[in-house]
Amino acid sequence: MDKPSSQLNFYRSFGQDLRQYLLTSTLHGLRYIGEKKLTWFERFFWLIAFGSSLICAGFFILNVYAKWRMSPMIVSINPENMPLHKLPFPAITICNVNQAKKSVAERYKKFGDSIDKKLLESLCSDQTDADIFEDNIAGSADWDHTRSFLINVTQPCNEMLSLCIWNSASMNCQDLFNAQLTDEGLCCTFNVVHRENMFRNPRDLNDMNITFPLPSVDWTPESGFPDNAPPDGFPWRAQGIGTDHGLTLVLDANVAEYYCASTKSPGFKILLHNPTETPNIAKLGEVYGPGIEARVSIQPRILDAQPSLKFIDINKRLCLFSSEKELVFYRTYTLRNCEMECEARIMLDVCKCVLYYMPKNKTTRVCGKGDAKCYGNMKKYVPRGRESACEECLPACTEISYFERPSSAMLSKFLVGHYIQSITLAQNKTPEYFTENMLVIHFYFEDNSFMRFTKGEIFGLTEFLSNTGGLLGLCMGFSMMSAVELLYYITLRVLCVARQSKSIQPFHK
């Protein structure tokens, strides 16, 4: 058989197979294109209709794909709430807004040296440290001297905390609270995780002596409490709802000792925060005045993430799992911890020192008053430029934060008299002193379970295929068998016909 005849037979066979496919295809409209009984105009009409359906399906599929790639994450309400026993009681940091005890401040003014007088002025003046400290004095006001001054001039925890009741049991406040140097000065903190679980190298820290109750538990927002964690493991958990299963404190403002304050009224700054974080109480703390009884209902906000979110690009989901970024000082990744390290790193690069409340180790130099010109400018720069300077700090994919819903009423000296006697507070606290200086505050949960917001994929591969198949089915009647049918005609059918044609031998005379 000559070559033109074989090509002619091939095209004739291909045309027959194509027509058969069009007539038998499950795709809508194709059989009208291959139907010989219809006119060319009618067949052309159905060809245009099928092509338009194909273009329409492709347009919507591209939209779905773009949504899948550009906005792959969705935050939804998890139908399974978090039970109370899996949630730690928040860490609570309390600071007296009084920056210096009056008796100590007046003693420094009369008998203190020039350095102590300048340190006292820096606490109580609106001037910057750079304006207060001259070059000949600033060098002597190093961190060791400043640290000793802060501890001496500030109200200690044992004077501020008059009574502590945890889970309806009166306890020694020194067993519950630790003194901590914060951006507000010397404060008292309850229920932060053990420093072995807070920092990577706790022995390298140069900080205050801190004791923790035992047994301690390695809790993180992402992993939660270990399965073998004891019920009384630290950080503590509430045993139930209401003030009977919360924390009750009686705080002594000692208004007569006020010399200068960080606010315009006496009282306390109180901040509820994650047990794995360092408090930013100067900017975020709530102010509570003396002479009231306050009830603070704790409102946790819980954000978690599905494990499948790890396969989405970080730049798309805009959150980090703890395994994806390792901090230098903190063991647990949170946005706040990352920003604290970032600010400390910038401060160290520019000023060659860090502020006393920033993360550091024993070899890191703490800024003294001689560095005031440098860190005075950094205080203005870092908060304003945090988004650009610390852009590597993204929110954690799993976060637990605490908000408060307070209510309060004035104390009555006719009622606190009986209260003082029943709880056996320290002596010489008269009802008049109590109503003028004391704050009674209760922290508690009011629900046994809490709503969780879960970050997950808005479209997984299964959902994308389902949407694609639905659009193709809507526009053309496409299904998986349609794909098998098309594959059959372009592969198996062609091979079988070609093999059959070769087996037929032409007749020669």
Side-chain angles (χ1 to χ4, degrees):
M1 184 179 296
D2 56 1
K3 186 174 182 180
S5 299
S6 63
Q7 289 181 347
L8 183 62
N9 290 334
F10 171 78
Y11 289 127
R12 184 181 293 113
S13 175
F14 176 77
Q16 292 175 352
D17 291 340
L18 178 59
R19 183 179 298 278
Q20 186 178 2
Y21 170 73
L22 294 175
L23 292 173
T24 59
S25 176
T26 56
L27 293 178
H28 298 168
L30 287 185
R31 67 187 184 91
Y32 298 110
I33 301 175
E35 181 59 62
K36 287 184 177 182
K37 294 180 181 180
L38 299 180
T39 64
W40 279 104
F41 178 78
E42 292 174 302
R43 292 159 71 181
F44 181 74
F45 168 79
W46 282 108
L47 178 63
I48 295 298
F50 182 81
S52 300
S53 298
L54 183 62
I55 293 173
C56 183
F59 173 76
F60 287 115
I61 289 172
L62 288 176
N63 283 344
V64 172
Y65 179 77
K67 187 175 182 180
W68 182 37
R69 299 303 301 171
M70 299 305 296
S71 303
M73 192 180 72
I74 188 173
V75 180
S76 59
I77 297 177
N78 195 319
E80 182 180 354
N81 290 345
M82 175 174 284
L84 181 62
H85 69 271
K86 290 187 177 181
L87 184 70
F89 206 82
I92 301 175
T93 299
I94 305 173
C95 309
N96 194 327
V97 297
N98 183 20
Q99 298 292 286
K101 295 173 64 175
K102 186 176 181 179
S103 58
V104 180
E106 290 180 345
R107 187 169 66 249
Y108 274 126
K109 288 180 67 177
K110 290 182 179 180
F111 308 108
D113 56 26
S114 59
I115 300 176
D116 292 330
K117 292 178 181 179
K118 289 292 184 179
L119 288 172
L120 183 62
E121 184 180 355
S122 70
L123 280 180
C124 301
S125 173
D126 294 332
Q127 290 181 287
T128 64
D129 288 347
D131 296 331
I132 295 174
F133 288 88
E134 299 87 359
D135 293 337
N136 59 337
I137 297 180
S140 302
D142 58 8
W143 165 237
D144 289 335
H145 191 110
T146 305
R147 179 175 179 270
S148 176
F149 172 83
L150 286 175
I151 294 175
N152 290 333
V153 81
T154 308
Q155 184 188 36
C157 293
N158 63 336
E159 292 183 8
M160 181 172 65
L161 299 164
S162 297
L163 176 71
C164 300
I165 301 175
W166 168 250
N167 197 29
S168 297
S170 181
M171 300 184 68
N172 187 347
C173 294
Q174 307 308 309
D175 295 334
L176 299 181
F177 283 83
N178 278 307
Q180 182 175 5
L181 287 170
T182 70
D183 52 356
E184 182 71 11
L186 184 64
C187 302
C188 309
T189 300
F190 165 79
N191 208 39
V192 292
V193 298
H194 196 284
R195 63 165 50 198
E196 296 285 344
N197 301 322
M198 172 81 82
F199 302 102
R200 294 196 177 276
N201 299 299
R203 296 182 180 179
D204 292 339
L205 297 175
N206 185 16
D207 210 337
M208 304 185 68
N209 294 326
I210 296 177
T211 58
F212 294 91
L214 294 174
S216 63
V217 174
D218 188 10
W219 175 88
T220 65
E222 192 168 312
S223 60
F225 286 96
D227 294 334
N228 59 350
D232 59 343
F234 189 82
W236 286 314
R237 291 169 275 185
Q239 302 300 313
I241 62 174
T243 56
D244 292 343
H245 298 286
L247 177 69
T248 295
L249 302 174
V250 177
L251 307 176
D252 187 357
N254 199 356
V255 178
E257 281 284 350
Y258 268 55
Y259 182 76
C260 61
S262 60
T263 62
K264 303 303 181 184
S265 59
F268 306 90
K269 281 187 179 179
I270 299 178
L271 180 67
L272 278 60
H273 56 96
N274 189 309
T276 62
E277 292 180 341
T278 301
N280 184 15
I281 192 167
K283 301 181 182 69
L284 302 178
E286 296 282 346
V287 178
Y288 293 85
I292 64 171
E293 181 176 13
R295 288 179 172 237
V296 179
S297 172
I298 302 169
Q299 310 289 321
R301 188 187 68 169
I302 305 167
L303 295 175
D304 57 16
Q306 296 175 352
S308 59
L309 211 63
K310 289 184 178 181
F311 301 104
I312 297 178
D313 184 61
I314 294 175
N315 295 323
K316 300 291 179 59
R317 56 177 151 96
L318 298 177
C319 71
L320 289 170
F321 289 90
S322 58
S323 60
E324 293 175 328
K325 185 174 179 62
E326 187 175 282
L327 299 178
V328 177
F329 293 99
Y330 295 101
R331 288 188 58 201
T332 303
Y333 179 87
T334 67
L335 176 61
R336 172 62 185 159
N337 287 347
C338 182
E339 288 177 343
M340 282 288 288
E341 286 198 2
C342 176
E343 292 176 22
R345 185 176 65 250
I346 295 173
M347 179 80 70
L348 188 62
D349 291 340
V350 177
C351 301
K352 309 305 178 187
C353 62
V354 298
L355 296 177
Y356 64 89
Y357 58 84
M358 290 181 171
K360 56 191 176 296
N361 54 35
K362 289 183 178 180
T363 61
T364 305
R365 189 173 72 88
V366 179
C367 295
K369 299 304 179 181
D371 306 291
K373 291 182 180 180
C374 183
Y375 70 69
N377 292 328
M378 291 297 298
K379 283 183 178 180
K380 299 177 182 178
Y381 168 73
V382 174
R384 186 173 63 247
R386 177 179 291 173
E387 293 183 359
S388 58
C390 302
E391 58 184 5
E392 76 274 11
C393 293
L394 296 175
C397 292
T398 300
E399 286 184 326
I400 295 180
S401 54
Y402 299 89
F403 299 90
E404 49 200 271
R405 185 167 61 82
S407 61
S408 62
M410 299 296 295
L411 290 172
S412 170
K413 64 180 180 179
F414 300 106
L415 299 177
V416 297
H418 175 71
Y419 187 54
I420 292 173
Q421 295 175 2
S422 63
I423 62 176
T424 62
L425 274 172
Q427 300 298 322
N428 69 22
K429 296 293 190 286
T430 64
E432 290 76 12
Y433 181 92
F434 198 99
T435 55
E436 292 176 1
N437 295 271
M438 296 295 195
L439 166 67
V440 180
I441 188 166
H442 312 271
F443 300 94
Y444 62 97
F445 290 107
E446 60 181 17
D447 295 306
N448 279 313
S449 61
F450 305 96
M451 184 182 299
R452 293 189 299 165
F453 295 91
T454 301
K455 302 172 185 175
E457 289 182 296
I458 188 171
F459 283 127
L461 180 60
T462 302
E463 289 79 12
F464 176 72
L465 291 177
S466 299
N467 278 273
T468 302
L471 289 170
L472 289 173
L474 176 66
C475 296
M476 300 181 299
F478 184 86
S479 66
M480 289 296 295
M481 292 309 299
S482 301
V484 173
E485 190 179 67
L486 179 61
L487 183 66
Y488 162 73
Y489 272 98
I490 64 177
T491 56
L492 186 60
R493 176 67 178 171
V494 173
L495 293 175
C496 291
V497 170
R499 184 175 182 181
Q500 185 178 10
S501 62
K502 288 182 180 181
S503 65
I504 300 176
Q505 299 294 330
F507 174 74
H508 295 282
K509 186 177 179 180

